[in-house]
Amino acid sequence: IFDDSLIATQEHRYRDVVDKFERLYNRKPDFFVRAPGRVNIIGEHVDYSGYPVLPMALAQDTIIAVARTSDGGIQIHNTQSSMFDSRTFDVDPSQSVDNNKHHWTNYFLCGYKGAFEGGKITGSPTHMQVVVSGCVPPGAGLSSSSSMVVASALATAHANHADYSKVELAELTCRCERYIGTAGGGMDQAISILAQPNVAKLIEFNPLTTFDVELPKGASFVIANSLAESSKALTVATRFNKRVLECRLAAVLIVMSAGHPWNAVKTLKQAQKLLGLTLADMIQSVESVLHQAPYTKAELQSIIGRELSEVVGDLQKFQLVLDANDNFFLQQRASHVYSETYRVYKFRSVCIETDISADDKLQRLGSLMDESHASCRDFYDCSSAELDELTALCKQAGALGSRLTGAGWGGCTVSLVPDSLVDSFMTQVQEYYSRPRGDYQALWIADDVDQYLFATKPSRGACVLDLSSTTLYL
């Protein structure tokens, strides 16, 4: 599962989980499930518009230890019990997720429900005793929430003797995470499940397909936490879900300008396909069709000829978004999506080119990452003062390219750093963490700098370790 350099640390961690499990339940677990977090190298906020992304899995993951039992419901404990209190659920998979109470176990319940909705669990649900250990920093844009959902769904499926393929599991976990109220596009779950060591993945959707992307040798990706927490679930009305809604409205106006009905498309990719244009053509079309000034709700309803609730009524939390906002920046959002998608394909094409040197490849990849951050900052408005400061510092420290990763508005940066400069890069970037950061700094700063600044290579995806047979699944 893990690189040799991580074996000792992980053995200690798994022993701690088993010790906690035995103290709580007076028995050993039947099996472990792990699901990694991820870093998106490039392709931010494009998956829910139907376009591909290019992430890789991290070694940081969520571990769930499980024992099957005959009663007691779903008993969930966390190894960090001082921060994450325990909870017990009924085994009924039809129970709802209470989004009014933001509790960490809601993500477990999302995965639990999804495993049943996949249709392969028959008979009465199995009761489970559970201990969770997570080392993906929450709110950091590294997909701690999806890591939990994937691990939960896989644990539930294995506990109930259901066998899902990797693609089936990726698709059902994408659907079930929406119970938490966010409208993601499927990248986080797909890479957590489908990842392989030593390669990134270009992931396309509808249908879900993946392509290995072998990264040039001679550089590492370094993750740096900005210390500003980014919570999609708590800011759905003004940030993440608003961007999803803006992309829908942009797609509608684009196709209407070409004489098509408002309900001909739902995504920007569908708009491109309907119009039969290249990405370059779409980038130019956006500038001529959509005005730069924000659209108001009244203006949009006048143009479309429909109540906005009819146009976006199938989107997660659409009414919250409409109630909280009156300005919608359609040109900027569409411009970002089309240009960012171009950068995803360009990134892959650079990686597979054979007539340029590795150093030249790395320089080009770094430039694409810089362009991506500028677009996220200027057109998608999903950066933050901390992220902009940190990416600038990373560039000064020798990064070939640096950008926000994840949803943005806080969380982490990812930088492409020559292997020869990684040590000096880390030393210089640590300057960021010596500056006063406000009250929230205490949530992140720990004794070990590796928790918020670390170099990484692509890791493997989710799996089950069954202790009864010492068998590794998925």
Side-chain angles (χ1 to χ4, degrees):
I1 299 175
F2 297 103
D3 182 85
D4 289 345
S5 63
L6 300 173
I7 292 296
T9 301
Q10 291 299 329
E11 283 182 345
H12 179 75
R13 182 174 170 222
Y14 274 74
R15 287 195 191 100
D16 285 348
V17 174
V18 171
D19 288 346
K20 174 125 184 156
F21 202 99
E22 290 180 318
R23 290 196 303 272
L24 288 167
Y25 303 119
N26 199 32
R27 62 178 294 186
K28 292 183 183 294
D30 294 327
F31 63 89
F32 288 100
V33 166
R34 68 160 308 260
R38 63 96 189 98
V39 58
N40 192 24
I41 299 172
I42 200 162
E44 222 60 74
H45 287 284
V46 299
D47 53 343
Y48 51 79
S49 285
Y51 284 114
V53 291
L54 209 156
M56 69 183 195
L58 301 172
Q60 286 80 356
D61 60 9
T62 297
I63 297 172
I64 298 182
V66 180
R68 301 177 182 92
T69 185
S70 58
D71 57 22
I74 312 299
Q75 305 166 55
I76 308 175
H77 292 262
N78 198 297
T79 54
Q80 296 176 279
S81 55
S82 61
M83 294 177 61
F84 304 103
D85 57 332
S86 61
R87 196 171 181 183
T88 299
F89 291 111
D90 187 79
V91 295
D92 180 9
S94 66
Q95 64 189 290
S96 61
V97 178
D98 186 358
N99 287 324
N100 293 320
K101 296 179 180 179
H102 187 65
H103 196 273
W104 70 275
T105 54
N106 284 356
Y107 294 101
F108 186 98
L109 184 55
C110 285
Y112 181 80
K113 289 170 64 65
F116 284 90
E117 290 172 359
K120 291 191 175 183
I121 298 178
T122 59
S124 300
T126 299
H127 296 250
M128 294 189 289
Q129 296 169 327
V130 174
V131 170
V132 176
S133 171
C135 64
V136 185
L142 301 178
S143 200
S144 60
S145 57
S146 294
S147 172
M148 168 69 88
V149 171
V150 168
S152 170
L154 185 53
T156 303
H158 191 72
N160 287 273
H161 307 287
D163 185 20
Y164 288 106
S165 71
K166 290 185 178 183
V167 171
E168 288 172 335
L169 190 64
E171 290 175 339
L172 72 86
T173 50
C174 175
R175 293 192 299 269
C176 72
E177 188 164 338
R178 292 170 184 169
Y179 286 122
I180 209 71
T182 54
M187 169 184 64
D188 300 345
Q189 302 82 5
I191 191 60
S192 185
I193 295 162
L194 300 169
Q196 294 175 304
N198 304 316
V199 293
K201 292 277 189 180
L202 187 144
I203 302 175
E204 293 184 335
F205 305 94
N206 302 316
L208 181 62
T209 54
T210 65
F211 303 90
D212 290 350
V213 178
E214 186 173 350
L215 302 168
K217 299 186 185 306
S220 297
F221 290 99
V222 178
I223 312 301
N225 196 323
S226 72
L227 308 180
E229 186 172 357
S230 170
S231 175
K232 291 190 291 186
L234 296 179
T235 57
V236 293
T238 57
R239 290 180 175 177
F240 191 90
N241 286 40
K242 184 189 179 189
R243 299 301 184 275
V244 178
L245 186 144
E246 286 174 317
C247 288
R248 166 70 63 82
L249 294 172
V252 168
L253 264 59
I254 288 169
V255 298
M256 287 185 69
S257 71
H260 298 283
W262 68 270
N263 56 358
V265 300
K266 291 188 174 182
T267 68
L268 288 166
K269 182 178 180 180
Q270 291 173 352
Q272 181 195 357
K273 184 176 180 180
L274 181 63
L275 299 183
L277 299 176
T278 66
L279 284 169
D281 291 335
M282 292 304 298
I283 293 169
Q284 291 184 339
S285 176
V286 164
E287 294 181 357
S288 60
V289 169
L290 302 175
H291 60 64
Q292 188 175 22
Y295 289 80
T296 65
K297 284 182 287 191
E299 181 183 8
L300 288 164
Q301 288 181 169
S302 175
I303 294 171
I304 300 171
R306 293 287 193 280
E307 291 289 327
L308 292 186
S309 58
E310 183 179 355
V311 181
V312 301
D314 60 317
L315 298 178
Q316 289 280 328
K317 305 291 184 180
F318 77 91
Q319 196 59 57
L320 280 176
V321 176
L322 292 178
D323 290 345
N325 302 277
D326 193 48
N327 289 324
F328 300 90
F329 297 83
L330 307 192
Q331 186 198 88
Q332 293 87 336
R333 309 314 182 225
S335 292
H336 167 77
V337 169
Y338 289 128
S339 63
E340 183 77 346
T341 301
Y342 172 83
R343 286 186 285 272
V344 171
Y345 285 120
K346 184 63 177 177
F347 195 100
R348 182 191 180 217
S349 70
V350 170
C351 287
I352 63 178
E353 282 187 39
T354 59
D355 59 348
I356 59 175
S357 68
D359 287 346
D360 195 10
K361 285 185 179 184
L362 292 172
Q363 291 288 344
R364 296 186 190 186
L365 298 181
S367 295
L368 290 169
M369 292 174 67
D370 288 340
E371 292 170 14
S372 174
H373 183 76
S375 182
C376 287
R377 180 191 64 219
D378 299 336
F379 292 111
Y380 223 71
D381 192 23
C382 63
S383 188
S384 68
E386 295 90 347
L387 288 168
D388 293 340
E389 177 187 352
L390 189 52
T391 53
L393 177 59
C394 289
K395 289 286 291 182
Q396 293 170 15
L400 300 172
S402 186
R403 60 179 296 275
L404 67 83
T405 186
W409 298 291
C412 289
T413 64
V414 56
S415 300
L416 183 64
V417 182
D419 287 335
S420 61
L421 297 180
V422 168
D423 289 342
S424 64
F425 175 90
M426 302 283 246
T427 299
Q428 292 180 64
V429 173
Q430 285 183 38
E431 174 195 342
Y432 178 86
Y433 303 100
S434 66
R435 304 170 189 171
R437 295 289 164 192
D439 294 339
Y440 59 75
Q441 185 173 17
L443 298 175
W444 295 102
I445 296 297
D447 293 335
D448 192 349
V449 69
D450 292 344
Q451 293 189 31
Y452 51 91
L453 177 64
F454 56 90
T456 187
K457 302 279 189 182
S459 300
R460 72 156 293 159
C463 60
V464 179
L465 178 61
D466 195 307
L467 302 183
S468 64
S469 58
T470 320
T471 304
L472 191 66
Y473 298 92
L474 276 182

